[in-house]
Amino acid sequence: MSQPRIPRLSRRGILAAGGAIGLGAALAACGDGDGGSDSGKGSAAKSGPWTFKDDRGQTAKADKVPSNIVAFVGVAAALYDYGVPVKGVFGPTTTKDGKADVQAGDMDVTKVTVLGNEWGQFNIEKYASLAPDLLISTMFDSAGTLWYVPEESKKKILAVGAPSVGVSVYDRQLTQPLERMLALAKSLGADVDTEKVKQAKKRFEDAAARLRAAAKAKPDIKVLVGSASQDLFYVSGSNLSIDLEYFKALGVNLVEPPEQAKAKGGGWYESLSWENVDKYAADIIMMDNRTSAIQPAAITQATWKKLPAVKANQVIARNPEPILSYDKCVPLLEDLAKAIETAKKVS
C-alpha cells in the first residue's frame, strides 16, 4: 500500500482541516489486522506473555499484559471507555482554563500524568518515572509516525524501553480503526463482550444506517468540511480522513476540492483566504472543534457570516481525530444525520 510522499508542513498545517497529517510518508506500513495473542478478558488476561501486532506490522511484546500504559490522549480516552486505565497521556488533554479537552473524552484528567499538552511537548523524565510498559498512539501517515511523539526526541523516548503500538487512522474508513482499538483493548484485559459494549456497537450501526438513509433521502444537500485559523480557512476533501471516508461511503454529498488544490495540504485539504471562503457552495458546514482551531462563534470575518449555511444556522461540529470507541463515534454519525434530515437547501 505505497503512498506518495507527503510534504513537510508547518504546525498549523499539520493540525489543519483534513484531520492531522504526519511528518512524512516514505514506507508502507500495512498491518494484517491480527490482534494480540492473549485474547482473554478481565483479570484472566493479566497473566502470561502478551503480544500485539500493530498497524505498522510490528509486534509489541511483554512478559505480562501491560499495566503502566502511556498513550496519546485520544487513545487513552478510547481505552477508558473499554475499562483500560492509562498512567500517562500526551497531546491536548486540558484547556487553558484547566478543563478537559474535547479529545480527553470522559477521562478524569486529574488522575493521569500529563507528559505534554501541546504539539512538540513530551516530558521524557516524567515518562521514565512512570516505568511505562507500553506506549500507544495513532498514526496519520503510511510511514508509521506515532502521533504527538516528537520526532526530535523519539529515539530517547523509545530508549526508555517500553514497546510501542501504532493504530493507523490514515486513508481508511472509520470502522477499521474502531475494530483495531477494540482488539487492542481486549488484548489489554478489557471485557469487550459486556452489554455496554454490545449496545454501543449496536447504536453505532443504527446511527450509520440513519446517516445512510438521510443522505439517500436528500442527495442534493452539500456538506463542506472546514477548519478555521486566523489567516486561512481549510476545506477538507474526503480522502485520507477516517470519518470523511466513511461518511462518503454512506452516501453523504461532501464538497471535494480538486486534487491540485489540496497538494499543499499533503492531499488532505485546500487552504483558502478568508476573502475566498465562499469558493464552494454548501448547505451544511462541519467545523473542526479541536482547541487548535478557531471555533465558529469566534469567527469575525464578514465573508464567513455571509455564507448561506452560516446564515441558516446549518453549522455543526466535527472532531477530525475521533475517539476510537463505538460509544464516542455514535454522536458523529447522529449529529450529521440530524443536520442532513433538517437542512434547508441554501446553496
Side-chain angles (χ1 to χ4, degrees):
M1 192 181 77
S2 61
Q3 298 288 344
R5 183 170 181 82
I6 298 175
R8 186 174 295 271
L9 302 174
S10 66
R11 175 183 176 276
R12 174 63 247 180
I14 290 170
L15 294 174
I21 194 167
L23 300 180
L27 300 173
C30 297
D32 62 6
D34 290 346
S37 63
D38 188 342
S39 58
K41 55 190 178 183
S43 59
K46 297 296 181 184
S47 60
W50 172 86
T51 65
F52 188 85
K53 189 172 184 178
D54 74 0
D55 292 337
R56 299 170 296 184
Q58 299 180 14
T59 301
K61 300 178 181 180
D63 293 336
K64 61 179 181 179
V65 175
S67 57
N68 289 348
I69 301 169
V70 173
F72 173 68
V73 61
V75 171
L79 292 176
Y80 178 88
D81 284 356
Y82 291 124
V84 178
V86 302
K87 292 290 182 67
V89 299
F90 53 95
T93 306
T94 58
T95 58
K96 292 180 180 179
D97 58 5
K99 295 180 181 179
D101 188 275
V102 64
Q103 296 192 62
D106 293 334
M107 278 195 306
D108 184 344
V109 296
T110 67
K111 294 183 178 180
V112 292
T113 300
V114 181
L115 306 179
N117 199 56
E118 298 179 5
W119 182 259
Q121 294 180 350
F122 194 111
N123 190 313
I124 301 175
E125 292 74 20
K126 194 179 288 187
Y127 172 62
S129 73
L130 295 175
D133 50 15
L134 182 62
L135 175 68
I136 315 172
S137 192
T138 48
M139 302 181 300
F140 281 88
D141 61 23
S142 61
T145 304
L146 295 176
W147 187 232
Y148 265 82
V149 174
E151 283 292 293
E152 61 273 16
S153 53
K154 180 178 66 176
K155 289 184 179 179
K156 291 182 179 180
I157 293 168
L158 296 179
V160 171
S164 65
V165 164
V167 177
S168 181
V169 289
Y170 175 73
D171 196 16
R172 59 202 62 206
Q173 293 181 24
L174 178 61
T175 47
Q176 286 181 267
L178 275 172
E179 291 168 358
R180 295 294 286 144
M181 190 62 70
L182 187 71
L184 176 58
K186 182 177 181 179
S187 81
L188 293 171
D191 184 350
V192 301
D193 295 319
T194 64
E195 195 61 30
K196 180 182 177 181
V197 174
K198 290 179 180 178
Q199 288 180 1
K201 190 170 184 180
K202 177 65 164 54
R203 286 190 292 113
F204 178 86
E205 292 167 350
D206 289 346
R210 178 184 174 184
L211 179 54
R212 186 190 297 276
K216 185 177 181 179
K218 291 181 140 182
D220 59 335
I221 294 296
K222 297 179 181 178
V223 180
L224 182 144
V225 182
S227 183
S229 71
Q230 192 63 41
D231 300 318
L232 294 171
F233 183 79
Y234 304 89
V235 179
S236 296
S238 65
N239 190 32
L240 305 182
S241 296
I242 56 173
D243 59 335
L244 303 187
E245 288 203 8
Y246 190 49
F247 296 160
K248 185 177 181 179
L250 292 174
V252 176
N253 184 2
L254 294 168
V255 172
E256 297 281 2
E259 291 303 315
Q260 61 268 29
K262 295 187 295 180
K264 291 183 179 180
W268 295 80
Y269 57 85
E270 177 182 4
S271 303
L272 299 176
S273 66
W274 283 103
E275 289 77 12
N276 295 316
V277 74
D278 60 353
K279 180 176 179 179
Y280 299 106
D283 303 294
I284 296 171
I285 301 177
M286 298 183 72
M287 289 294 289
D288 188 343
N289 71 348
R290 294 173 298 175
T291 51
S292 57
I294 297 175
Q295 298 307 300
I299 299 175
T300 58
Q301 282 81 358
T303 48
W304 163 261
K305 295 180 179 180
K306 290 179 182 178
L307 293 176
V310 175
K311 293 171 70 175
N313 197 30
Q314 293 180 172
V315 179
I316 64 173
R318 174 217 177 198
N319 187 346
E321 297 181 62
I323 294 172
L324 297 173
S325 72
Y326 287 100
D327 179 71
K328 291 298 180 294
C329 287
V330 169
L332 308 181
L333 303 174
E334 290 183 336
D335 291 350
L336 181 54
K338 181 180 179 181
I340 294 174
E341 289 165 353
T342 60
K344 297 177 181 178
K345 181 67 180 174
V346 295
S347 65

